[in-house]
């Protein structure tokens, strides 16, 4: 569903690249966590999928299409196939729950009757039935994020990108949100979630892709937030991949552990 | 559905930005009024030129009933007098200064008069008898008017010789100057209008960046995102243009039509109906000004 072939993204010629020769494939219907410290390239990854930015080199394929080859007037069509959720919800404060979700359908020209049928259904999926007429400020953080998820999936995208969706929520609420995302994933949507939240990653036991300084340093199925592969081998692989992490060799174990604690 | 959505977006944009929208309306109103005023002055000049202005320079008016000029002692011009005047015009002494000349009978004079004063109530009280017949002369050199004047003023049957061009030209140069001033002011005001529209659209785009950001994410097309902003500017400008057209109509109707034509009944003024020709031009000008300036602004401030 999403394939990165040797993708490098450079924002500033003088600094290190945000993504450095990333090769990655996420299959249809998969649930993948993108973990790593701030600045490791998680958000850049998501931006490249959405064609908010162009890759400096390499190719990004979304649903089999090379996004670099999509002309600018067809970018909206690409984005209709991708739902996005953010840490800060991004709801429209002057619209109620129903209108916030309906907005995503109105702007792509769905008819009123389709909207009337679909929105309550989606709100039920995210566990918000009966709260259609609440305003965003009358909802808890978790409920607001559920509205945002409902808005992201109301047009039935094949991919859902979540950029730290639990970053503003307490652990219990976060688990509720993860339940919603899992349900959406089980309905066949590919979910890619960038996160710092180790509890959630450890709980879900899904695929984990770890980025560090723009390089994929780990890609494990049903993994934990912290690597289970022996750290020494990890560091050597790192060095081979980028040549930048040589200092890790001197202090194996500590380097990886310290990374994971953050 | 999408149309309804775009309309509701425009409505909310206009409501949220009322003061800016009002200022856009006023600025386009004032600038387009000046544009229209320049147009109206030109129309008025054409109106006053009448049928003969561009064709001849000098008119020899012949005596009619009740003329008091010394040459009209015998009353209305007789066919013989007219014959001899015609012969004089054709004689080599005069013909060397003249390109050609035409005779305008009372009936023709009445027809041209009716055309020129069609907006004025005076037309109903005039009959062909009251209008003098005339010879209309196209001079080789308009400066030689004196020669014609001297030759014909004292001829029997001639009421008066008039250099129409000289009479009107001074007035027209004043009016042309006034329309230049109007165009100059209009130019400055239009620059103001363009900048103000650009600022308004920028503010509007900024105050709705949340919405547009979400629209972008869920895959709204460029048209759906940008059209409400562009139409906001266009609607404001069109309202301004409509106000300007209304003002010009009111000036023509109440000032020229009612006041001035009573003060100067012998002058032909443009009718209020004629100013409506300017309205579509003003509307199109206003709409395209707003459309182009908001399009350029959005290209810079609203990424899609």
């Amino acid at each position: 569903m999403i394939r990165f072939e040797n993708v490098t993204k450079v924002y500033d010629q003088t600094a290190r690249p945000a993504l450095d020769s990333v090769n990655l494939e996420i299959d249809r219907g998969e649930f993948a966590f993108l973990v790593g410290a701030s600045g490791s390239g998680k958000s850049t990854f998501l931006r490249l999928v959405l064609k908010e930015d162009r890759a400096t080199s390499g190719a990004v394929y979304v649903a089999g299409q090379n996004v670099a080859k999509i002309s600018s007037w067809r970018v909206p069509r690409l984005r209709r196939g991708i739902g996005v959720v953010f840490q800060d919800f991004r709801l429209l404060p002057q619209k109620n729950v129903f209108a916030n979700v309906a907005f995503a359908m109105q702007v792509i020209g769905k008819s009123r009757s389709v909207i009337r049928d679909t929105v309550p259904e989606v709100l039920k999926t995210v566990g918000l039935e009966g709260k259609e007429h609440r305003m965003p400020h009358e909802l808890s953080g978790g409920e607001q994020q559920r509205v945002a998820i409902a808005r992201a999936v109301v047009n039935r995208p094949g991919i859902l990108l979540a950029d730290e969706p639990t970053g503003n929520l307490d652990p219990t609420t976060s688990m509720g949100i993860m339940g919603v995302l899992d349900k959406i994933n089980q309905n066949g949507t590919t979910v890619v979630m960038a996160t710092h939240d180790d509890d959630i990653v450890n709980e879900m036991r899904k695929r984990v892709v770890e980025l560090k300084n723009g390089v994929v340093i780990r890609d494990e199925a049903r993994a934990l937030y912290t690597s289970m592969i022996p750290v020494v081998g990890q560091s050597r692989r790192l060095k081979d991949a980028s040549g930048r992490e040589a200092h890790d060799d001197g202090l194996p174990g500590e380097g990886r552990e310290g990374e994971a604690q953050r | 559905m999408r149309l309804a959505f775009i309309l509701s977006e425009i409505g909310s944009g206009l409501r949220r930005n009322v003061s800016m929208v009002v200022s856009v309306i006023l600025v386009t109103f004032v600038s387009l009024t000046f544009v229209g005023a320049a147009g109206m002055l030109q129309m008025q000049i054409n109106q006053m030129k009448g049928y003969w202005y561009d064709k001849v320079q000098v008119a020899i008016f012949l005596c009619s009933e009740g003329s008091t000029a010394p040459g009209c002692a015998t009353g209305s011009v007789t066919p013989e007098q007219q014959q001899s005047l015609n012969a004089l015009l054709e004689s080599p002494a005069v013909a060397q200064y003249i390109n050609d000349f035409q005779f305008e009978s009372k009936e023709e004079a009445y027809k041209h008069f009716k055309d020129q004063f069609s907006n004025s109530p005076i037309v109903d009280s005039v009959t062909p008898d009251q209008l003098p017949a005339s010879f209309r002369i196209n001079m080789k050199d308009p400066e030689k008017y004196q020669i014609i004047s001297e030759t014909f003023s004292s001829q029997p049957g001639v009421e008066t010789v008039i250099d129409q061009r000289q009479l009107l030209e001074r007035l027209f140069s004043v009016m042309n100057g006034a329309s230049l001033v109007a165009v100059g002011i209009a130019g400055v005001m239009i620059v103001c209008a363009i900048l103000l529209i650009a600022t308004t659209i920028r503010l509007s785009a900024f105050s709705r960046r949340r919405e547009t950001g979400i629209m972008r994410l869920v895959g709204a097309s460029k048209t759906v995102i940008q059209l409400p902003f562009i139409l906001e500017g266009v609607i404001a400008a069109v309202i301004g243009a409509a106000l300007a057209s209304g003002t010009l109509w009111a000036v023509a109707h109440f000032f020229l039509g009612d006041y001035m034509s009573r003060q100067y009944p012998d002058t032909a003024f443009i009718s209020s109906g004629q100013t409506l020709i300017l309205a579509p031009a003003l509307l199109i000008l206003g709409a395209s000004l707003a459309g182009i300036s908001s399009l350029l602004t959005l290209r810079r401030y609203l990424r899609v």
Side-chain angles (χ1 to χ4, degrees):
Chain A
M1 202 65 176
I2 300 173
R3 192 161 91 241
F4 275 51
E5 280 179 1
N6 241 343
V7 173
T8 299
K9 174 67 191 175
V10 180
Y11 286 110
D12 182 352
Q13 289 293 346
T14 59
R16 64 166 183 80
L19 284 182
D20 197 349
S21 314
V22 170
N23 282 294
L24 189 66
E25 176 146 19
I26 294 167
D27 291 328
R28 188 179 295 273
E30 221 178 339
F31 194 123
F33 284 113
L34 217 52
V35 302
S38 295
S40 59
K42 301 190 299 291
S43 297
T44 302
F45 181 93
L46 299 180
R47 290 175 64 80
L48 289 178
V49 173
L50 282 167
K51 211 191 174 200
E52 297 239 26
D53 275 320
R54 295 173 70 93
T56 311
S57 67
V60 177
Y61 291 88
V62 175
Q65 255 187 315
N66 185 345
V67 298
K69 298 224 167 78
I70 299 176
S71 58
S72 66
W73 64 274
R74 291 182 74 153
V75 168
R77 187 181 293 184
L78 167 76
R79 293 190 181 142
R80 281 176 208 190
I82 306 172
V84 196
V85 181
F86 298 96
Q87 182 173 4
D88 57 353
F89 319 140
R90 303 203 185 169
L91 301 178
L92 299 175
Q94 73 283 10
K95 288 191 196 291
N96 67 20
V97 169
F98 184 94
N100 261 290
V101 179
F103 186 76
M105 302 188 80
Q106 286 171 340
V107 298
I108 62 169
K110 289 282 164 62
S111 77
R112 202 167 298 182
S113 63
V114 172
I115 292 174
R116 250 199 316 266
D117 292 343
T118 316
V119 174
E121 208 177 289
V122 174
L123 286 176
K124 202 174 154 198
T125 315
V126 300
L128 282 177
E129 60 262 74
K131 296 190 172 159
E132 282 92 341
H133 301 295
R134 299 277 196 89
M135 299 303 282
H137 66 264
E138 299 167 344
L139 298 173
S140 71
E143 286 169 329
Q144 290 188 40
Q145 190 59 290
R146 282 165 195 256
V147 178
I149 293 170
R151 184 181 62 199
V153 298
V154 73
N155 291 321
R156 310 219 176 289
I159 299 171
L160 178 64
L161 303 179
D163 195 356
E164 305 192 23
T166 59
N168 278 342
L169 306 174
D170 63 73
T172 322
T173 314
S174 298
M175 283 322 294
I177 294 294
M178 291 317 295
V180 172
L181 291 180
D182 198 29
K183 202 197 282 183
I184 288 163
N185 177 235
Q186 267 151 37
N187 286 340
T189 305
T190 310
V191 179
V192 180
M193 172 169 161
T195 188
H196 288 301
D197 197 329
D198 47 353
D199 286 342
I200 282 174
V201 177
N202 293 339
E203 187 79 24
M204 297 288 289
R205 286 295 186 122
K206 300 284 188 186
R207 178 179 176 185
V208 173
V209 176
E210 184 170 351
L211 288 164
K212 186 174 183 186
N213 294 337
V215 182
V216 177
I217 59 168
R218 179 161 66 104
D219 187 351
E220 277 183 88
R222 270 179 286 172
L224 295 175
Y225 189 82
T226 317
S227 172
M228 292 183 297
I229 298 172
V231 179
V232 177
Q234 184 64 192
S235 299
R236 195 156 293 144
R237 222 180 76 194
L238 257 184
K239 187 185 169 189
D240 293 341
S242 67
R244 285 192 184 78
E245 304 296 326
H247 62 277
D248 272 1
D249 269 347
L251 288 168
E254 264 182 31
R256 292 300 323 137
E257 219 57 277
E259 186 63 38
Q261 304 286 286
R262 241 183 275 160
Chain B
M1 187 62 214
R2 215 178 301 201
L3 183 71
F5 175 75
I6 289 175
L7 289 179
S8 80
E9 281 291 296
I10 295 170
S12 82
L14 291 175
R15 268 195 306 280
R16 238 190 261 191
N17 249 341
V18 171
S19 60
M20 290 302 279
V21 170
V22 169
S23 59
V24 169
I25 290 175
L26 291 179
V27 170
T28 45
F29 163 47
V30 173
S31 55
L32 293 179
T33 303
F34 277 106
V35 173
M40 246 170 85
L41 280 166
Q42 292 306 314
M43 284 164 76
Q44 178 61 32
I45 288 173
N46 274 329
Q47 187 81 19
M48 288 170 76
K49 280 178 179 174
Y51 179 75
W52 289 108
Y53 182 82
D54 290 321
K55 301 179 187 72
V56 302
Q57 291 87 33
V58 177
I60 301 172
F61 286 105
L62 306 182
C63 298
S64 55
E65 287 304 333
S67 295
T68 51
C72 299
T74 55
S76 188
V77 66
T78 61
E80 293 75 36
Q81 287 171 335
Q82 195 182 314
Q83 275 299 319
S84 67
L85 286 170
N86 202 5
L88 189 57
L89 278 166
E90 279 167 353
S91 72
V94 176
Q96 60 177 319
Y97 301 111
I98 293 174
N99 270 339
D100 55 35
F101 68 92
Q102 276 175 279
F103 178 71
E104 186 189 46
S105 69
K106 282 174 180 290
E107 280 69 29
E108 283 164 336
Y110 181 66
K111 190 167 143 284
H112 294 147
F113 178 85
K114 268 209 314 204
D115 285 346
Q116 192 180 4
F117 285 85
S118 58
N119 314 317
S120 171
I122 196 174
V123 90
D124 301 325
S125 55
V126 169
T127 61
D129 291 340
Q130 290 167 289
L131 294 170
S134 59
F135 285 104
R136 303 282 179 158
I137 301 163
N138 184 352
M139 303 287 291
K140 275 193 178 125
D141 176 4
E143 300 300 314
K144 296 276 165 45
Y145 155 73
Q146 280 304 326
I147 297 171
I148 303 294
S149 177
E150 275 161 21
T151 315
F152 286 93
S153 294
S154 52
Q155 291 291 325
V158 171
E159 182 175 11
T160 177
V161 180
I162 288 177
D163 183 357
Q164 281 190 310
R165 194 162 275 253
Q166 210 167 32
L167 270 182
L168 287 173
E169 220 142 58
R170 203 174 303 159
L171 183 59
F172 288 168
S173 76
V174 172
M175 288 169 78
N176 276 326
S179 46
L180 273 183
V181 171
V183 166
I185 295 173
V188 174
M189 293 302 292
I190 282 174
V191 171
C192 277
I194 290 173
L195 294 177
L196 193 64
I197 290 166
T199 312
T200 307
I201 297 301
R202 216 165 89 193
L203 277 179
S204 191
F206 186 74
S207 74
R208 275 190 280 163
R209 62 194 185 286
R210 261 174 179 282
E211 280 91 335
T212 51
I214 292 164
M215 289 162 97
R216 223 156 59 78
L217 277 179
V218 301
S221 63
K222 198 172 165 178
T223 319
V224 172
I225 299 178
Q226 293 196 337
L227 202 59
F229 294 102
I230 295 171
L231 288 183
E232 238 168 74
V234 170
I235 286 172
V238 164
I239 293 174
L243 287 175
S245 308
T247 306
L248 294 177
W249 180 88
V251 165
H253 188 78
F254 296 109
F255 181 67
L256 295 183
D258 287 356
Y259 177 75
M260 289 293 274
S261 61
R262 206 169 301 143
Q263 296 287 308
Y264 305 96
D266 55 348
T267 309
F269 289 104
I270 53 173
S271 70
S272 52
Q274 275 170 286
T275 62
L276 295 181
I277 298 166
L278 291 168
L282 294 183
L283 290 173
I284 291 168
L285 182 62
S288 47
L289 278 182
I292 290 167
S293 72
S294 38
L295 204 64
L296 293 178
T297 314
L298 286 178
R299 194 178 286 179
R300 279 186 60 191
Y301 293 96
L302 190 68
R303 222 163 62 86
V304 175

